[in-house]
Amino acid sequence: MLRVAVVGSGPSGVYSAQSLVQLDPTVFVDVLDRLPCPYGLVRYGVAPDHEKIKSLQNNLRTVLEHERVRFLGGVQVGAGGVPAARLRELYHAVVYCVGAATDRHLGIPGEDLPGSFSATEFVSWYSAHPDAVEDGFVLGARSAVVIGVGNVAVDVTRILARGAAELSPTDMPQTALTALGASRVTGIHMVGRRGPSQARFTTKELRELGSLPGAEVSVDPEELALDPAYVDPSALPAAQRRNVEVLRGWAAQPARDLPRRIRLRFFLRPVELLAEGGRVGAVRFERTLPDGQGGVTGTGRYEEIEAQLVLRSVGYRGVPLEGLPFDPATGTVPQLAGRVLRGGVVAPGEYVAGWIKRGPTGVIGTNRPCAKETVLSLLEDAPVLVRKEIPEDPLAVLRAEGVEPVEWAGWRAIERAEAELGVSLGRSVVKLPDWESLLTAARRVDS
């Protein structure tokens, strides 16, 4: 019998557990997570108005309810929790699926001004992540600038442009719904330093912006024309070509007088956040042009866009986990086909999958083949790994050492509490937004 710990219950962790139990009928898997709730970014990263994508939780649930899989939430691994070395003693193998937990910075003056946030912080707030900080994001803001042109940038732009009536049916926490419902943000600029043909959003996400009631989307034809591939998109891959077609349509449509305005901007590089009254008041951008090699070059011409709220969405980055090797250049754990490398040598029984393995690239489905590659490596090593003597039940040892995990019954109790909260507010399911309420609900296992 092979016992494996999977650290992280997002898609990469759950897909790792799924491959393990499908490919080896003798393996038992404990899926550990720092949070008391499973599903990772499917719960805390997918926008609340994207119900179809959020329904992926049903597929992940099936794995976590498998008879040879246990969910152990509220278990910190690394600093301040169960040391990685101790986990390695309790299991034949450990698969780390800890994602990319921080965001990239712009590295420009004024980035730390009040009113300037990462998109990750904003997403955590409206997704009820228990670590989120209530910071009044939209309070007092009239104009917002979103820096970045990927799907997360589109998500936060769309949420800023929606009204309370559209967001009320979602599982958004009540505090965020109330704040967004009272928002006075009427102008939203989504800005990229490169051209439309190099934007990283998907066409489906992009089109959604044009279907928001009460919001007008506009683009500047002259800015779009700076991109040679926009002028002649015939050589572009299909996805980018479809993006260009959508942008062409918006550039040609007449202006409408609607309550909120979304403006997509291109070839502008942020160089400074400007203060006004002790907080951000505008963003200074430098006009860029294509350099002919896939990048851009500055022109020395500048423009300022008013903004009392700035959200940067320029990518994620992995962070070191105490007890594991880490490559700061790539923000990943050194690995070979999922096997952790220490000093260039394979570390027996240690594996990685997901963003901490390959970097923050791909969509949710990309994690499935990534996890399978890692699991195949693990099972190839299993005849040697299984020789190691480990406790009969690692959970009993963890409990004896003071660890009190939220098991699957505790998570189901949280789900019931969120359903009850929704009913009391006249909404559907509403997420519990903080550690105290989550853990209190988890203890109501028998209710």
Side-chain angles (χ1 to χ4, degrees):
M1 181 178 69
L2 184 69
R3 282 201 176 273
V4 179
V6 172
V7 181
S9 66
S12 63
V14 176
Y15 290 148
S16 295
Q18 183 179 43
S19 289
L20 281 162
V21 295
Q22 284 179 344
L23 296 175
D24 187 335
T26 69
V27 71
F28 283 78
V29 184
D30 285 347
V31 179
L32 286 63
D33 202 292
R34 183 178 69 86
L35 300 176
C37 308
Y39 311 137
L41 282 180
V42 176
R43 176 174 167 90
Y44 290 120
V46 174
D49 59 342
H50 274 180
E51 289 298 326
K52 187 173 181 181
I53 303 175
K54 288 176 74 67
S55 68
L56 177 63
Q57 290 184 12
N58 296 328
N59 298 334
L60 303 181
R61 173 192 297 276
T62 301
V63 179
L64 293 174
E65 289 181 335
H66 191 280
E67 60 183 2
R68 287 184 282 120
V69 176
R70 288 190 298 198
F71 172 69
L72 305 177
V75 179
Q76 174 79 34
V77 175
V82 181
R86 181 58 174 149
L87 207 60
R88 181 73 187 90
E89 293 170 351
L90 299 178
Y91 293 87
H92 293 116
V94 183
V95 184
Y96 293 93
C97 306
V98 292
T102 191
D103 55 274
R104 294 184 182 275
H105 289 256
L106 298 169
I108 61 176
E111 188 171 9
D112 296 326
L113 281 169
S116 168
F117 305 93
S118 70
T120 306
E121 292 172 297
F122 187 58
V123 170
S124 292
W125 172 66
Y126 69 60
S127 297
H129 194 293
D131 290 339
V133 177
E134 172 57 70
D135 220 321
F137 292 92
V138 296
L139 188 64
R142 304 178 306 276
S143 178
V145 166
V146 179
I147 299 173
V149 283
N151 279 345
V152 175
V154 175
D155 278 348
V156 299
T157 297
R158 191 181 65 254
I159 294 296
L160 283 170
R162 282 203 186 278
E166 300 163 65
L167 294 172
S168 183
T170 73
D171 62 5
M172 180 179 286
Q174 189 65 30
T175 51
L177 177 66
T178 301
L180 289 167
S183 169
R184 295 184 178 180
V185 173
T186 56
I188 308 160
H189 291 75
M190 187 169 74
V191 188
R193 63 185 176 88
R194 297 194 293 179
S197 70
Q198 296 169 308
R200 302 184 69 177
F201 41 61
T202 58
T203 309
K204 182 178 181 296
E205 291 258 359
L206 181 64
R207 283 194 181 116
E208 279 188 272
L209 294 179
S211 63
L212 298 177
E216 178 200 14
V217 182
S218 66
V219 286
D220 184 342
E222 293 184 6
E223 261 181 10
L224 299 177
L226 295 173
D227 186 344
Y230 175 85
V231 177
D232 179 13
S234 58
L236 287 174
Q240 282 87 346
R241 194 164 62 248
R242 287 192 295 268
N243 286 345
V244 165
E245 290 168 1
V246 173
L247 294 168
R248 280 183 186 278
W250 287 339
Q253 71 183 12
R256 297 176 295 164
D257 187 16
L258 294 173
R260 290 188 171 96
R261 298 179 302 279
I262 300 171
R263 192 171 182 197
L264 274 62
R265 305 293 307 274
F266 297 96
F267 292 112
L268 290 173
R269 176 167 57 200
V271 294
E272 185 177 3
L273 270 59
L274 305 174
E276 181 180 315
R279 57 177 292 119
V280 66
V283 185
R284 176 175 289 152
F285 292 92
E286 181 183 16
R287 167 67 65 198
T288 62
L289 289 173
D291 62 5
Q293 300 176 336
V296 291
T297 185
T299 63
R301 291 185 288 119
Y302 297 89
E303 174 182 340
E304 293 177 10
I305 300 178
E306 178 193 352
Q308 297 79 37
L309 172 63
V310 176
L311 300 172
R312 67 177 185 275
S313 179
V314 291
Y316 295 95
R317 182 173 175 79
V319 296
L321 181 70
E322 187 177 274
L324 273 187
F326 187 74
D327 181 354
T330 60
T332 61
V333 171
Q335 54 84 30
L336 179 64
R339 296 178 175 95
V340 171
L341 299 177
R342 291 183 180 272
V345 178
V346 169
E350 294 183 301
Y351 303 85
V352 285
W355 280 0
I356 199 64
K357 169 186 174 183
R358 67 181 191 274
T361 60
V363 295
I364 290 174
T366 312
N367 290 293
R368 193 183 291 274
C370 172
K372 188 172 183 180
E373 179 192 51
T374 295
V375 167
L376 288 173
S377 293
L378 189 160
L379 293 179
E380 187 178 309
D381 302 340
V384 173
L385 298 175
V386 78
R387 295 176 193 165
K388 184 177 74 170
E389 289 191 17
I390 62 168
E392 183 176 343
D393 185 1
L395 178 54
V397 177
L398 289 171
R399 281 205 178 103
E401 294 176 355
V403 177
E404 298 181 10
V406 174
E407 297 188 66
W408 192 250
W411 159 240
R412 295 304 304 271
I414 291 172
E415 287 188 306
R416 288 194 299 273
E418 292 184 336
E420 292 165 6
L421 177 60
V423 170
S424 72
L425 294 169
R427 299 173 56 196
S428 56
V429 171
V430 175
K431 285 181 183 172
L432 298 172
D434 58 81
W435 280 97
E436 183 180 357
S437 59
L438 286 167
L439 294 176
T440 298
R443 288 192 285 268
R444 293 168 54 197
V445 171
D446 299 322
S447 62

